[in-house]
């Protein structure tokens, strides 16, 4: 049962040592809450939370949410899951387990404690969309047996579980469909387009464009995204989602690469490779629901957000993936 004797909340963040999780924890602690960070450090790293270990309102637990968790908290943010293709395709079975079994375990915990639980879902549930921009009532165009399906279908199943637990057990649920997000603390070797382009630009290597470079994405700076997650968790109990969280400004991959080259002062040129299997050609959120229900919209334009992201990557460029994992 949620505690009633003080206004300060004790909040569980799974995947809390990851990119989004660590930024969310920073914000929650700044708001005065206690935070329990749970992470198995498969893709998260202690580097992201080193600055918090001596904080009196922060606790860390190394745990895999594929297994039940017995703690006492007032809210649950379920962010645990590899989120980049390189990471989630490295062990696709474990990726699916994290999405599905992790959702079951976090919903079970929320049921026992009678507390709200937020699921970090993804724009990948829309697949290679036939509708543009994507609204929450679009069911998606997902390949259920492709190399990306461990993540896409795992997240879709997690959404199913959240709504079934809500209908059957009255669990207070919140589902955020997160679109491309970038910022400091992204793993420099996670294979995502922003980190790939920045890394190549800082090394003055040719920037790899897949296909003709005209496929589009929308990029939300991490500070904006965290504000959206917290607004969703704090919204009226009738607001369940799913709700798109992302920046609706749309850029081609060539435009993104050109901006990164300009801001970083790089001498990089372009090189082309074939499109990966099931790679979406367009991705842009319709955020009308977030604007109306949460009063939320992103504020930070791409160029402004790229400056601290490039600065962070410049500092960490010499750190290999193996070193990151060793520090975990």
């Amino acid at each position: 049962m949620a505690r009633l004797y003080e206004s300060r909340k004790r909040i569980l963040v799974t995947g809390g040592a990851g990119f989004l999780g660590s930024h969310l924890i920073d914000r929650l602690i700044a708001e005065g809450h206690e935070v329990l960070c749970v992470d198995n450090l498969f893709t998260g790293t202690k580097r992201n939370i080193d600055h918090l270990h001596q904080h009196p309102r922060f606790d860390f637990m190394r745990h895999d949410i594929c297994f039940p968790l017995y703690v006492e908290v007032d809210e649950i943010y379920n962010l645990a899951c590899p989120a980049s293709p390189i990471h989630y395709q490295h062990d696709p079975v474990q990726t699916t387990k994290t999405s599905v079994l992790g959702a079951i375990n976090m919903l079970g915990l929320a049921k026992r404690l009678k507390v709200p639980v937020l699921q970090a879902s993804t724009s990948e549930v829309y697949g290679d969309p036939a509708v543009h921009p994507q609204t929450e009532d679009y069911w998606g165009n997902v390949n259920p047996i492709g190399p990306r399906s461990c993540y896409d279908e795992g997240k879709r199943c997690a959404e199913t579980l959240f709504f079934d637990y809500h209908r059957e057990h009255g669990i207070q649920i919140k589902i955020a469909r997160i679109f491309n997000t970038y910022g400091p603390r992204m793993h420099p070797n996670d294979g995502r387009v922003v980190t790939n382009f920045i890394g190549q630009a800082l090394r003055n290597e040719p920037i790899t464009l897949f296909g003709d470079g005209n496929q589009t994405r929308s990029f939300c700076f991490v500070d904006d995204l965290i504000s959206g997650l917290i607004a969703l968790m704090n919204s009226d109990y009738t607001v369940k989602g799913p709700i798109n969280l992302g920046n609706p400004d749309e850029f081609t991959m060539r435009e993104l690469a050109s901006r990164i080259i300009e801001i970083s002062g790089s001498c990089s040129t372009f090189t082309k490779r074939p499109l990966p299997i099931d790679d979406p050609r367009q991705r842009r959120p319709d955020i009308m629901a977030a604007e109306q229900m949460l009063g939320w919209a992103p504020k930070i334009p791409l160029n402004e957000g790229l400056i601290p992201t490039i600065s962070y990557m410049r500092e960490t460029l010499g750190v290999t993936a193996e070193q990151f994992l060793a520090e975990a």
Side-chain angles (χ1 to χ4, degrees):
M1 176 70 70
R3 296 175 297 167
L4 302 176
Y5 52 83
E6 59 178 329
S7 60
R8 176 188 293 173
K9 297 175 183 176
R10 180 165 171 79
I11 300 174
L12 167 62
V13 178
T14 70
F19 164 49
L20 293 182
S22 62
H23 282 280
L24 173 61
I25 290 172
D26 282 346
R27 187 79 63 85
L28 294 173
I29 286 180
E31 291 182 356
H33 303 299
E34 299 177 16
V35 177
L36 172 60
C37 170
V38 170
D39 203 303
N40 67 353
L41 301 179
F42 176 61
T43 58
T45 171
K46 289 182 179 177
R47 170 188 294 266
N48 289 340
I49 53 174
D50 272 346
H51 61 290
L52 295 170
H53 280 300
Q54 301 303 315
H55 199 287
R57 288 185 277 109
F58 174 80
D59 289 307
F60 172 75
M61 177 188 297
R62 187 163 185 167
H63 178 82
D64 186 339
I65 65 164
C66 290
F67 300 93
L69 182 63
Y70 301 99
V71 294
E72 304 297 320
V73 294
D74 303 302
E75 289 178 351
I76 303 168
Y77 287 84
N78 185 33
L79 275 60
C81 189
S84 73
I86 283 181
H87 290 150
Y88 64 65
Q89 292 175 13
H90 173 72
D91 190 344
V93 173
Q94 183 62 30
T95 296
T96 304
K97 285 182 176 180
T98 302
S99 290
V100 177
L101 297 179
I104 291 171
N105 287 326
M106 291 305 101
L107 286 161
L109 180 62
K111 176 186 173 185
R112 178 177 70 84
L113 298 175
K114 297 182 175 61
V115 300
V117 55
L118 183 148
Q119 168 68 8
S121 191
T122 172
S123 61
E124 297 294 337
V125 301
Y126 299 121
D128 188 3
V131 172
H132 191 76
Q134 293 78 61
T135 55
E136 290 87 350
D137 58 359
Y138 174 53
W139 290 356
N141 177 35
V142 175
N143 178 359
I145 59 172
R148 301 169 68 101
S149 59
C150 59
Y151 184 69
D152 303 358
E153 296 288 26
K155 290 290 191 177
R156 286 162 69 96
C157 184
E159 289 193 12
T160 300
L161 286 163
F162 265 66
F163 271 90
D164 283 340
Y165 265 77
H166 169 71
R167 286 185 285 255
E168 187 170 343
H169 302 294
I171 304 301
Q172 185 178 348
I173 62 168
K174 309 282 183 178
I175 296 177
R177 288 181 177 165
I178 298 172
F179 283 67
N180 286 52
T181 305
Y182 69 100
R185 299 185 196 162
M186 295 183 78
H187 197 299
N189 300 296
D190 67 4
R192 295 191 234 193
V193 63
V194 172
T195 49
N196 279 353
F197 284 4
I198 293 175
Q200 290 171 328
L202 292 178
R203 291 188 292 265
N204 291 308
E205 298 172 353
I207 290 183
T208 304
L209 295 177
F210 291 96
D212 58 11
N214 289 323
Q215 64 271 39
T216 64
R217 295 292 186 274
S218 302
F219 301 97
C220 185
F221 189 63
V222 62
D223 289 356
D224 282 334
L225 190 281
I226 297 306
S227 295
L229 290 177
I230 293 175
L232 178 56
M233 177 62 89
N234 293 338
S235 63
D236 187 83
Y237 74 94
T238 60
V239 179
K240 300 180 289 293
I243 288 186
N244 291 337
L245 295 179
N247 193 317
D249 293 339
E250 190 174 8
F251 300 91
T252 67
M253 297 300 93
R254 185 177 292 273
E255 287 173 329
L256 173 66
S258 297
R259 292 188 182 217
I260 289 172
I261 289 171
E262 179 181 359
I263 294 171
S264 64
S266 173
C267 300
S268 292
T269 56
F270 298 127
T271 185
K272 293 184 179 180
R273 295 179 59 186
L275 275 174
I277 296 174
D278 296 331
D279 190 55
R281 293 185 179 273
Q282 287 182 305
R283 188 64 65 70
R284 176 164 70 92
D286 182 308
I287 62 167
M288 185 178 297
E291 291 174 330
Q292 294 178 347
M293 297 182 189
L294 310 180
W296 176 87
K299 301 176 181 178
I300 300 172
L302 180 62
N303 277 27
E304 184 178 330
L306 282 174
I307 293 171
T309 308
I310 291 172
S311 177
Y312 174 82
M313 283 286 291
R314 200 184 297 274
E315 293 174 4
T316 60
L317 187 60
V319 182
T320 65
E322 290 75 16
Q323 287 173 307
F324 260 74
L325 293 174
E327 291 177 6

